[in-house]
Amino acid sequence: MAARTSKKERGLRIHEYLYFQVLSPGDIRYIFTATPAKDFGGVFNTRYDQIHLVPADPPEACGELNNGVFIQDQIALVERGGCSFLSKTRVIQEHGGRAVIIADNAYDNDSFYIEMIQDSSRRTADIPALFLLGRDGYMIRRSLEQHGLPWAVISIPVNVTSIPTYEMMQPPWTFW
C-alpha cells in the first residue's frame, strides 16, 4: 500500500520561501519574498499569472471589511496587529479571498521574517497565509496610494530557480 501524503506535505514546506511578482503598478515591478504560516492555512496548488493583490480596508482585517467585495477570488494584503494571524486569515477566507499576505506593521523591517503560528482557538483556515516584510508591504501600499489604485496585479507563486540572478528584479531596499 502506497504511503499517503497530507495536503501540507505536497505543498510548500515550513521555512521555505514563496515568491511573487508585482506586475502593476510598474514602479514596484519586483519579485518579493514571503514565508508561509507555520501551522495553519492551505498551500498554493495553483499558479496565478495575474491576480489582484487587494489591500484590506481596514488594513488589520480583524473584522468586517469595507472592501470585502473586492477581495472575493483575489489575494488580500493585510497588516500585522490587532488580532491573531489566524483571525486575519479567517476574515479573508470568509470574504472569499484565495490567499492572504500579511505584512509586518514595522515599516522599517526589511530582513526579519516572523513565524506565523496558530492561535489557541483551535480554529482552522483553508487558504494560504504568507508573511511579508514590513518594508515590502509599506512600499506596495504606498505605490498604490500614489497611483490612486485599489489593487496591484501580481503573479504568484514565481519559480525563481529558473531566473538568472542578474535578471532578478529585487526590491532595491531589500537584501537577498
Side-chain angles (χ1 to χ4, degrees):
M1 187 166 153
R4 298 182 80 182
T5 57
S6 73
K7 185 176 175 186
K8 284 268 188 213
E9 291 171 7
R10 287 194 307 268
L12 199 63
R13 297 187 193 279
I14 299 168
H15 301 301
E16 289 189 10
Y17 296 108
L18 186 138
Y19 302 92
F20 68 94
Q21 182 173 19
V22 172
L23 304 174
S24 172
D27 62 328
I28 53 165
R29 192 178 170 101
Y30 301 116
I31 294 175
F32 294 90
T33 304
T35 56
K38 180 179 178 182
D39 57 4
F40 69 89
V43 295
F44 272 95
N45 291 321
T46 304
R47 183 174 191 281
Y48 301 101
D49 290 324
Q50 291 189 5
I51 192 165
H52 293 162
L53 178 63
V54 183
D57 178 23
E60 291 181 345
C62 291
E64 192 59 35
L65 301 177
N66 299 324
N67 65 339
V69 67
F70 297 112
I71 291 188
Q72 176 80 36
D73 292 324
Q74 306 302 324
I75 296 176
L77 178 62
V78 171
E79 198 169 286
R80 180 181 178 202
C83 60
S84 72
F85 293 121
L86 176 60
S87 292
K88 295 171 185 303
T89 304
R90 289 180 54 87
V91 166
I92 298 307
Q93 179 175 304
E94 289 163 8
H95 282 85
R98 300 262 176 108
V100 60
I101 297 176
I102 302 171
D104 196 353
N105 54 1
Y107 299 154
D108 59 346
N109 178 9
D110 61 6
S111 60
F112 183 69
Y113 288 91
I114 304 292
E115 192 169 73
M116 297 192 310
I117 59 171
Q118 168 75 273
D119 60 20
S120 58
S121 67
R122 298 183 188 235
R123 298 173 300 165
T124 61
D126 299 319
I127 63 170
L130 303 170
F131 182 82
L132 182 66
L133 295 173
R135 171 75 98 183
D136 292 346
Y138 169 77
M139 297 301 279
I140 291 169
R141 281 190 302 273
R142 189 181 84 168
S143 176
L144 294 175
E145 289 169 9
Q146 288 174 341
H147 293 286
L149 297 171
W151 53 69
V153 178
I154 67 169
S155 176
I156 187 169
V158 171
N159 180 357
V160 297
T161 59
S162 62
I163 302 172
T165 306
Y166 64 87
E167 288 183 16
M168 290 280 284
M169 291 294 297
Q170 307 155 21
W173 56 87
T174 302
F175 297 104
W176 284 44

